[in-house]
Amino acid sequence: MEKNNPEEFKVPFSPLLIGRYKMIKKIGKGSYGSVYKVEDIKDRKTATTPDSPKKYFAVKKMKLPANRLKIQGIDFTTLREINILQEIKHENIIPLVDVFHINRSTFMVMELMKSDLSKLMFSRTITLTIPHIKCIMLQIFYGLKELHKNWIIHRDLTPNNLLISEDGVLKFSDFGLSRFFASNNRPMTQNVVTLHYRAPEILFGANYYGPQIDIFSAGCILGGLLLRGTLFCGRNDIDQMSQIFKIMGTPSEETWEGVTNLPHYVEFEETPPQSFRILFPGIDEDLANLLEGLLVLDPNKRLTVEQCINHPFFNKSPDSCDPDELPMDDIS
Amino acid sequence: IQKDYLTQNNRNIFANNLFGFFISADVCDLNTLFLAIQIFDRYAYRSKVNARNLSVVCLSSFWLAEKFEEIYPTPVPFYIKAADKRIRKLDFERKEKEIAGELKFRINYFPTSLTFHKRFQMILKLNKKQIMLSSYI
C-alpha cells in the first residue's frame, strides 16, 4: 500500500536532514537529480537574537547511479564533482557547504542562488545592454581562468549551469562532467557538453582536447546573449556541425591543421566564413573580433582566457557595469 | 598506523592482495593502486580496522579509488568473486559510504607517492627498466 502513495515514494527521507536542514520546497530538477530549498536549523539555535535572519541553502540530491554497468554505491561523477568543488574557492565558483549521505543517495549542500543565466538570456522583458554583456562575460572568464589555472576543464558550460546570486554575481555550478587535464594521456570521452554548446573538435570525435572547449562554449554564450537565443541550434551532431560551418566557414587543412585525421571527420559543402558584423548589425568591431576569436574552429588558434580578459573590447567605453546593476527584478 | 588492531604485517598482506587484485582486474592506471592504498591508510588512521573487516575495507577503498581514476569502474560482482563470496554486496556498499563519510569525501586530498615518483623520473631522465624497478620501492 505504501508503495502506491506517490508522495511517499518521491521523498524517502525525513523532512529534517541529519537533524540540521529543514526541507522547505523543491526548486528544480535535472538529469543529475533534484534540488531542494532548505533552512539551516542549527544556525538558528546558536544565534543570539531570535529575529536574526534565517539561513537558506540549496540541497542537491544526486540521482542514484545508472544500473546499466552494474556500478552501484556512490556515483563516480558525484565523487569527482565533490572533489573539484572542495578544492576550488573562488568568487565565481559555487561554494560547497556540506556533503552527507542518507540511505543510498548523496546530498550536497550549496549556497542558494536566485536565478540562472538562461532565464536572463531568454527573458523577453529584460533588455541587455553592452555594459551588462561585458559584466556577464568578464565574470565567466574570471571563473574559467580560475578553473584552467587549477588544470580543470568544466566540459558542461551552458547558461543553465551559470547561476546568478542575489547580488548579480555569476557562479559556475554542475561539475559532474569536469575533469583534470594535462596530467595523463588518457583518451577523453566525446559525450560531453550540451550539444548546442559543443566545440567542433568534440563533434569530430577528437580523443584529446583541452580547455579550449570551454572557450568555445563561452563564445556560444556570448552569441546567445547578443541574439537572445541559442546561437547554434542543431538537432543532431551533423546538423550542429553544418550550423557552425554555415557561419564560421568549412574547415580545411589550411584553416585547421590535422582536421582530416580526426576520427569522425566528414566533408561538408564548402561555405565561406561570414562576418559577425553582418550577422549582428550594429555591434562594434572589437565585439565582432572577440566573437570570432572565441569561435575559431581550430582549437590551437582559439583565444586563451588571459587573452579574452585583456581583449580591447573590455577596455573600451562603455565600461562594464557592477554585478549588482544586472537587471534581475523581473526574474523570480 | 598506530591502532591496536591493525599491525604492519596486516597492512602488508592487504597491499599484496590488492596488487594481485589490481593485475587481475585489468585496471589501466597505476595511480589507482596508489590512491587505494592511500585511502586505506587514511581510513585506518581514523577508525578501527581489524583482521575481520580488512578485506571489505581494502576492496571498498580500491573501489572508491577506481571510481575516481578510471573511466569505467569494475562492476561489483567481480569484487565479490575476488573475495570468494565472503563479503556481501550490502556490506560492501555500506563500507564504501562509511569510508567516504569518514574522509569527508576528500578522496585525492594529497598527491600519491606516484606523483612524486613521476616528477623524479622526469628530472632524472630514467629509462624504462629503471622506472619499472623504482616503482616497487
Side-chain angles (χ1 to χ4, degrees):
Chain A
M1 281 301 286
E2 276 181 19
K3 272 190 180 175
N4 292 336
N5 189 350
E7 272 303 301
E8 250 185 45
F9 200 61
K10 266 179 199 166
V11 189
F13 44 86
S14 68
L16 207 64
L17 301 174
I18 56 163
R20 182 170 171 185
Y21 303 103
K22 188 180 161 196
M23 290 242 309
I24 293 175
K25 64 171 182 182
K26 193 170 176 174
I27 313 171
K29 202 179 157 189
S31 56
Y32 48 82
S34 34
V35 182
Y36 300 89
K37 184 181 176 182
V38 294
E39 187 193 331
D40 196 349
I41 301 274
K42 188 186 165 195
D43 209 69
R44 285 209 74 198
K45 278 179 186 167
T46 51
T48 45
T49 50
D51 297 332
S52 62
K54 288 179 183 177
K55 254 193 176 176
Y56 293 110
F57 287 109
V59 167
K60 197 167 160 185
K61 183 193 170 205
M62 305 307 287
K63 244 187 192 170
L64 290 175
N67 218 355
R68 256 175 304 140
L69 297 166
K70 290 186 178 170
I71 300 160
Q72 282 122 350
I74 306 167
D75 195 9
F76 54 97
T77 51
T78 316
L79 260 183
R80 288 175 201 167
E81 183 173 359
I82 292 167
N83 262 277
I84 286 169
L85 282 175
Q86 276 174 341
E87 233 162 77
I88 308 172
K89 298 259 178 310
H90 189 259
E91 195 191 354
N92 294 111
I93 285 151
I94 194 156
L96 188 69
V97 182
D98 200 359
V99 188
F100 54 88
H101 223 98
I102 294 174
N103 292 339
R104 293 182 68 188
S105 22
T106 320
F107 293 82
M108 291 160 69
V109 185
M110 291 182 287
E111 231 172 61
L112 186 67
M113 298 302 223
K114 198 181 172 195
S115 151
D116 63 27
L117 189 63
S118 71
K119 277 183 192 158
L120 196 79
M121 219 159 108
F122 299 123
S123 159
R124 290 183 185 273
T125 47
I126 294 171
T127 41
L128 285 174
T129 55
I130 291 291
H132 293 150
I133 289 173
K134 273 184 185 176
C135 172
I136 292 168
M137 286 319 286
L138 267 180
Q139 290 191 60
I140 292 176
F141 289 139
Y142 286 139
L144 274 184
K145 189 186 170 189
E146 180 70 19
L147 286 180
H148 293 173
K149 207 172 80 186
N150 286 304
W151 305 100
I152 292 164
I153 338 174
H154 188 280
R155 299 212 291 188
D156 196 8
L157 194 62
T158 62
N160 285 322
N161 292 335
L162 290 163
L163 306 179
I164 304 176
S165 75
E166 231 159 286
D167 322 322
V169 180
L170 228 76
K171 297 199 184 208
F172 285 61
S173 75
D174 204 348
F175 286 74
L177 285 170
S178 329
R179 64 165 277 171
F180 295 94
F181 66 98
S183 64
N184 40 19
N185 300 322
R186 203 188 299 146
M188 295 160 160
T189 166
Q190 285 91 44
N191 296 328
V192 292
V193 195
T194 313
L195 180 64
H196 298 161
Y197 298 88
R198 206 175 283 172
E201 65 259 33
I202 311 174
L203 289 168
F204 276 143
N207 284 326
Y208 300 98
Y209 45 81
Q212 296 92 350
I213 63 162
D214 283 344
I215 303 287
F216 190 87
S217 306
C220 291
I221 291 172
L222 177 56
L225 283 172
L226 293 169
L227 199 71
R228 301 306 289 278
T230 318
L231 186 58
F232 306 119
C233 194
R235 273 164 288 144
N236 49 38
D237 283 20
I238 302 285
D239 191 29
Q240 180 73 19
M241 276 192 263
S242 67
Q243 291 223 5
I244 294 174
F245 300 149
K246 231 181 249 173
I247 294 173
M248 299 308 299
T250 326
S252 62
E253 274 297 323
E254 292 155 23
T255 51
W256 181 355
E257 216 183 311
V259 63
T260 47
N261 299 331
L262 289 173
H264 302 314
Y265 176 70
V266 196
E267 263 186 54
F268 277 83
E269 200 182 323
E270 268 187 43
T271 42
Q274 289 184 33
S275 167
F276 278 104
R277 298 200 67 179
I278 299 166
L279 278 172
F280 302 109
I283 64 170
D284 67 347
E285 209 169 302
D286 282 327
L287 181 52
N289 194 341
L290 175 67
L291 248 177
E292 227 159 83
L294 293 171
L295 296 173
V296 177
L297 295 177
D298 187 353
N300 296 328
K301 287 177 193 162
R302 223 169 277 157
L303 297 176
T304 60
V305 185
E306 297 278 324
Q307 284 169 335
C308 293
I309 292 171
N310 298 326
H311 197 272
F313 169 62
F314 294 113
N315 301 332
K316 241 170 52 176
S317 72
D319 281 348
S320 89
C321 66
D322 284 333
D324 51 0
E325 286 170 25
L326 280 179
M328 301 264 302
D329 307 328
D330 298 337
I331 328 168
S332 57
Chain B
I1 298 154
Q2 303 282 319
K3 291 284 171 192
D4 324 331
Y5 298 98
L6 193 72
T7 57
Q8 185 64 40
N9 200 15
N10 270 354
R11 190 187 171 273
N12 289 347
I13 292 170
F14 144 76
N16 266 334
N17 286 344
L18 211 55
F19 187 67
F21 182 71
F22 171 71
I23 289 167
S24 67
D26 202 16
V27 175
C28 46
D29 202 338
L30 192 62
N31 205 21
T32 314
L33 180 67
F34 280 79
L35 191 62
I37 294 174
Q38 196 201 44
I39 290 171
F40 177 82
D41 284 348
R42 276 162 63 204
Y43 178 69
Y45 185 74
R46 280 155 213 248
S47 64
K48 288 171 187 172
V49 177
N50 51 30
R52 198 175 288 170
N53 68 7
L54 183 69
S55 62
V56 183
V57 176
C58 114
L59 284 179
S60 27
S61 57
F62 192 82
W63 201 33
L64 264 178
E66 207 180 24
K67 274 182 177 174
F68 196 75
E69 283 288 326
E70 300 291 317
I71 305 172
Y72 302 113
T74 318
V76 184
F78 191 85
Y79 282 93
I80 291 166
K81 205 177 157 192
D84 266 354
K85 292 183 182 173
R86 257 174 288 170
I87 54 172
R88 284 182 303 154
K89 195 176 133 197
L90 206 72
D91 291 338
F92 186 58
E93 283 177 0
R94 196 177 293 151
K95 192 49 107 184
E96 185 208 12
K97 280 165 206 160
E98 221 177 283
I99 294 176
E102 192 70 41
L103 301 179
K104 287 173 188 160
F105 286 88
R106 299 192 165 209
I107 306 297
N108 69 343
Y109 193 42
F110 307 107
T112 55
S113 50
L114 191 70
T115 322
F116 292 108
H117 182 246
K118 269 187 184 162
R119 286 276 151 233
F120 278 118
Q121 77 194 32
M122 261 165 67
I123 297 162
L124 297 171
K125 292 185 181 116
L126 301 177
N127 60 28
K128 238 181 184 177
K129 198 175 170 186
Q130 285 165 330
I131 290 169
M132 280 309 285
L133 287 173
S134 60
S135 43
Y136 289 99
I137 295 171

